[in-house]
C-alpha cells in the first residue's frame, strides 16, 4: 500500500510534465485544422473575387466604347489586353514584394491601387486614360492572387489545404464567368461608366471590412530589390504575352520580332535570377524548380491553361460570329459551366484531402480530352445550344478536378520560404500559357479556314472546319495533361526543413 501510495503522485506528476513539455516543444507556428476556413482566407477570397471579376467585366462594353471614343474594334480590344499584359508584367515582382511587406500592407497597397485604377477608368475623358486606369487596376489585381495563395499555404495545415483551396477556386472560377453577364445587366441601365460606379463601392466596402479583421501572416525580410530584374521582367513578360496575343493581327515579321524580343528578355531575366540566387536576393527565386513535384504540376497547369483559355476564346467566336448571339447571350450560355466549376471546388478540395491528387487529376484530364474532342466532332452551323451547354459544363467540371488538386499539391511541395515565389511563378506562367494556348488555337483556326476557302468551301463551312481542327488541338493539349498527371505523387513531397 505504501509503495503504491508513494508511486501514484510520481506518475501523475510525470504525466503533467510530459503534457507540459509536449505543449511547448510543439512547433508554435504550426497551423491547426479547426474544420473551418480561417477568417483571413475568407476576407482575401472576397477581395480577390472583386478584383478578378474586372478581368472580364468590360467585354460587353466594347461596342459602347467604340462609339463613345470613336475607336475601332481592334483598338477597343485593348481594354482587355492591357489588363492581361499588366498582370504578366507585375506578377513576377510579387514574390519579392510579398516577402518584404506585411500581409496588411500588401493587401492595403493592392486594394488601394485597384481602387485608384477604378476611379481613373470611371472618369476617363479619353480612351488612352481608360487604358491607364485598366493597367492600374490590373497592377492591384496581380498582387491579390499570390497574396491569397501564399497566405493559404502559411496558415492552413496540410491536411486541410485541399478544402480551403477548393473554396478559393469557387470565387476564382465564378468571377470570370459572372463578368460578362453582370456587365450586360449594368449596361441595360445606361453608360459603361456605371460598371466602375458599381465596382468601386463594392471594393471599398470589402477593403474596409477586411482591414478591420485582417492579421499579418508570416515573417518579412528586408532583402534588396534588383531594379534591373524588375525592368527586364516587365518588358520581357509583357512583350512576350503581347506578341502572342497579337497572332492573327500582325505580320509574321512583326510577330517574330515581338515574341523574339520578349523571349530574349525572359531568358536574360532567368539568367540574372540564377546569378542573384548566389548572393541570396533574387526577385523571383527559381530554386522552386528544384522540387520535382512543383515543376511537374507547373508544366501540367500551364498545359491545362493552354487548352482551357484557348478553348474559351473559340466558343464565344463561334457563338457570336457564326450563330449571331449577343455578348450577353454568350455570357449567359457559358455562365453555368463557370458556376459548376466554382461550386465543385470545395467538394473536389475535400476529396483531395482524403484521396490525394492522382484519383482526381487523372480522371479529370481524361474528361477534358473527351469534352474537347467531342466539341470538335459535333460543332457545326446548327448544333443545339443544349449540347454546347452540356459539353461546356463537362469541360468546366473536368477542370475543377484538375486545378484545385494541382494548385494545392504543387505549392505544398515547397518549403515555406518559397511559397510567395512559387505562387508568383505559377501566376506568371498562367498568363504566358494562356497567351500561348490562345495564339496556337487561333493560328490553327485561321490556317485551316483559309485552306478550306481556297479549296472552294464557303466562309461559314471554312470557319466551322477551322474550329473543329482547333478543338482537336485543344484535346491534344489535354492528352499531354493526362501524361503529366501520371507523374504526380499522391501527396506533396515533404520539403526539406518544412514543418507540417
Amino acid at each position: 500500500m505504501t509503495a503504491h501510495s508513494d508511486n501514484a503522485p510520481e506518475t501523475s506528476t510525470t504525466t503533467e510534465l510530459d503534457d507540459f513539455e509536449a505543449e511547448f516543444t510543439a512547433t508554435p507556428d504550426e497551423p491547426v485544422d479547426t474544420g473551418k476556413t480561417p477568417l483571413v482566407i475568407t476576407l482575401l477570397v472576397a477581395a480577390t473575387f472583386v478584383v478578378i471579376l474586372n478581368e472580364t467585366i468590360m467585354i460587353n462594353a466594347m461596342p459602347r466604347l467604340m462609339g463613345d471614343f470613336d475607336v475601332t474594334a481592334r483598338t477597343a480590344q485593348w481594354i482587355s489586353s492591357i489588363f492581361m499584359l499588366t498582370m504578366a508584367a507585375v506578377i513576377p515582382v510579387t514574390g519579392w514584394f510579398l516577402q518584404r511587406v506585411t500581409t496588411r500592407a500588401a493587401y492595403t497597397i493592392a486594394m488601394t491601387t485597384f481602387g485608384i485604377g477604378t476611379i481613373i477608368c470611371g472618369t476617363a475623358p479619353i480612351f488612352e486614360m481608360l487604358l491607364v486606369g485598366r493597367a492600374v487596376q490590373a497592377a492591384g489585381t496581380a498582387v491579390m492572387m499570390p497574396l491569397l495563395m501564399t497566405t493559404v499555404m502559411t496558415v492552413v495545415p496540410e491536411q486541410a489545404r485541399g478544402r480551403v483551396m477548393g473554396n478559393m477556386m469557387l470565387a476564382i472560377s465564378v468571377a470570370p464567368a459572372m463578368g460578362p453577364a453582370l456587365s450586360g445587366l449594368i449596361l441595360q441601365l445606361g453608360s459603361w461608366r456605371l460598371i466602375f460606379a458599381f465596382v468601386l463601392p463594392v471594393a471599398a466596402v470589402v477593403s474596409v471590412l477586411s482591414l478591420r479583421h485582417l492579421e499579418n501572416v508570416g515573417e518579412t525580410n528586408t532583402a534588396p530589390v534588383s531594379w534591373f530584374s524588375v525592368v527586364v521582367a516587365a518588358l520581357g513578360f509583357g512583350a512576350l504575352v503581347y506578341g502572342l496575343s497579337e497572332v492573327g493581327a500582325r505580320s509574321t515579321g512583326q510577330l517574330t520580332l515581338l515574341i523574339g524580343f520578349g523571349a530574349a528578355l525572359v531568358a536574360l531575366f532567368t539568367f540574372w535570377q540564377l546569378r542573384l540566387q548566389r548572393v541570396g536576393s533574387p526577385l523571383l527565386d527559381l530554386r522552386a524548380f528544384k522540387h520535382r513535384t512543383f515543376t511537374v504540376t507547373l508544366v501540367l497547369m500551364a498545359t491545362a491553361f493552354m487548352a482551357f483559355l484557348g478553348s474559351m476564346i473559340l466558343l464565344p467566336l463561334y457563338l457570336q460570329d457564326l450563330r449571331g448571339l449577343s455578348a450577353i447571350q454568350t455570357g449567359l450560355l457559358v455562365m453555368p459551366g463557370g458556376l459548376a466549376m466554382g461550386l465543385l471546388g470545395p467538394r473536389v478540395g475535400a476529396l483531395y484531402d482524403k484521396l490525394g491528387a492522382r484519383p482526381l487529376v487523372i480522371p479529370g484530364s481524361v474528361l477534358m480530352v473527351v469534352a474537347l474532342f467531342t466539341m470538335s466532332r459535333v460543332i457545326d452551323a446548327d448544333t443545339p445550344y443544349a449540347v454546347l451547354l452540356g459539353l461546356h459544363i463537362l469541360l468546366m467540371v473536368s477542370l475543377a478536378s484538375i486545378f484545385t488538386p494541382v494548385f494545392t499539391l504543387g505549392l505544398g511541395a515547397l518549403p515555406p520560404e518559397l511559397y510567395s515565389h512559387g505562387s508568383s511563378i505559377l501566376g506568371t506562367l498562367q498568363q504566358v500559357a494562356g497567351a500561348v494556348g490562345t495564339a496556337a488555337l487561333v493560328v490553327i483556326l485561321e490556317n485551316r479556314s483559309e485552306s478550306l476557302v481556297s479549296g472552294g468551301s464557303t466562309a461559314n463551312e471554312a470557319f466551322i472546319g477551322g474550329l473543329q481542327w482547333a478543338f482537336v488541338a485543344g484535346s491534344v493539349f489535354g492528352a499531354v495533361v493526362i501524361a503529366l498527371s501520371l507523374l504526380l505523387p499522391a501527396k506533396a513531397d515533404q520539403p526539406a526543413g518544412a514543418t507540417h
Side-chain angles (χ1 to χ4, degrees):
M1 286 289 293
T2 305
H4 178 74
S5 174
D6 291 341
N7 288 337
E10 181 180 347
T11 302
S12 174
T13 304
T14 301
T15 302
E16 291 174 4
L17 287 173
D18 288 344
D19 291 344
F20 182 85
E21 182 180 1
E23 179 180 352
F24 286 92
T25 55
T27 306
D29 294 328
E30 183 176 351
V32 177
D33 183 15
T34 62
K36 297 180 179 179
T37 301
L39 179 61
V40 63
I41 302 300
T42 302
L43 297 173
L44 290 176
V45 166
T48 303
F49 179 89
V50 174
V51 297
I52 289 181
L53 183 70
N54 281 265
E55 192 164 4
T56 57
I57 203 170
M58 289 301 293
I59 290 175
N60 282 332
M62 287 182 190
R64 301 277 186 94
L65 297 175
M66 292 166 61
D68 287 1
F69 292 114
D70 192 23
V71 296
T72 64
R74 190 69 196 172
T75 301
Q77 180 62 38
W78 268 97
I79 201 70
S80 295
S81 297
I82 195 69
F83 204 99
M84 178 180 66
L85 294 179
T86 306
M87 293 271 285
V90 173
I91 288 176
V93 184
T94 59
W96 167 84
F97 175 72
L98 292 178
Q99 288 193 329
R100 191 176 179 88
V101 303
T102 63
T103 307
R104 286 178 61 85
Y107 179 85
T108 302
I109 292 171
M111 294 304 290
T112 300
T113 302
F114 177 82
I116 291 171
T118 304
I119 293 172
I120 294 173
C121 289
T123 58
I126 58 175
F127 186 73
E128 289 76 11
M129 187 60 69
L130 179 60
L131 293 182
V132 170
R134 287 289 285 172
V136 175
Q137 272 191 322
T141 303
V143 176
M144 287 304 302
M145 273 301 299
L147 174 62
L148 176 57
M149 289 189 183
T150 301
T151 306
V152 167
M153 301 307 296
T154 304
V155 305
V156 178
E158 182 180 2
Q159 65 271 22
R161 285 177 186 162
R163 171 178 55 80
V164 175
M165 197 74 79
N167 290 328
M168 281 173 47
M169 294 304 294
L170 189 154
I172 296 167
S173 304
V174 171
M178 285 187 62
L182 179 61
S183 64
L185 295 174
I186 295 174
L187 289 170
Q188 300 297 317
L189 303 176
S191 169
W192 55 267
R193 297 181 190 275
L194 291 176
I195 294 175
F196 300 107
F198 167 80
V199 168
L200 183 62
V202 173
V205 169
V206 169
S207 299
V208 171
L209 291 177
S210 297
L211 284 173
R212 290 176 59 185
H213 303 284
L214 196 62
E215 297 179 358
N216 292 323
V217 172
E219 300 293 332
T220 61
N221 62 51
T222 56
V225 62
S226 165
W227 290 108
F228 176 76
S229 297
V230 172
V231 174
V232 171
L235 291 176
F237 287 105
L240 181 60
V241 172
Y242 174 56
L244 292 166
S245 67
E246 288 289 289
V247 168
R250 291 179 179 267
S251 67
T252 302
Q254 290 176 321
L255 289 174
T256 301
L257 185 62
L258 272 172
I259 295 172
F261 176 70
L265 287 182
V266 169
L268 175 60
F269 174 78
T270 302
F271 167 78
W272 200 253
Q273 299 321 294
L274 294 173
R275 180 179 179 274
L276 290 176
Q277 281 174 191
R278 293 197 289 271
V279 296
S281 58
L283 184 70
L284 198 60
D285 199 326
L286 302 181
R287 281 172 286 208
F289 287 104
K290 292 184 177 180
H291 298 269
R292 177 185 176 277
T293 297
F294 174 78
T295 303
V296 171
T297 57
L298 192 71
V299 177
L300 190 157
M301 182 66 71
T303 309
F305 259 84
M306 288 170 66
F308 167 49
L309 294 181
S311 301
M312 292 306 96
I313 290 293
L314 297 178
L315 198 55
L317 282 176
Y318 164 75
L319 291 172
Q320 295 181 45
D321 293 352
L322 188 68
R323 303 296 293 271
L325 297 187
S326 66
I328 188 171
Q329 288 172 325
T330 301
L332 290 172
L333 192 145
V334 300
M335 181 184 284
L339 293 173
M341 183 180 179
L343 293 173
L344 275 176
R347 185 172 294 276
V348 170
L351 287 173
Y352 166 80
D353 291 331
K354 295 178 181 178
L355 305 175
R358 288 168 62 91
L360 294 167
V361 179
I362 294 174
S365 305
V366 173
L367 279 179
M368 181 173 72
V369 172
V370 169
L372 290 170
F373 188 76
T374 304
M375 281 185 182
S376 75
R377 299 298 88 197
V378 304
I379 200 162
D380 57 32
D382 55 0
T383 305
Y385 291 121
V387 172
L388 296 172
L389 177 63
L391 287 173
H392 184 254
I393 291 175
L394 178 63
L395 178 61
M396 294 296 102
V397 168
S398 70
L399 291 167
S401 67
I402 295 172
F403 288 155
T404 298
V406 172
F407 268 119
T408 311
L409 182 67
L411 292 178
L414 299 176
E417 64 270 17
L418 289 178
Y419 286 159
S420 62
H421 291 281
S423 298
S424 299
I425 291 170
L426 189 60
T428 302
L429 200 62
Q430 281 178 18
Q431 300 299 318
V432 175
V436 170
T438 299
L441 297 192
V442 167
V443 166
I444 292 169
L445 166 64
E446 292 182 345
N447 288 347
R448 178 58 176 166
S449 296
E450 290 172 4
S451 174
L452 290 173
V453 167
S454 63
S457 299
T458 65
N460 283 352
E461 290 171 344
F463 184 70
I464 291 170
L467 277 174
Q468 291 172 346
W469 274 41
F471 277 117
V472 169
S475 66
V476 172
F477 290 153
V480 175
V481 174
I482 293 176
L484 291 169
S485 68
L486 298 175
L487 301 177
L488 295 176
K491 289 286 185 180
D493 299 337
Q494 184 70 18
T499 303
H500 292 291

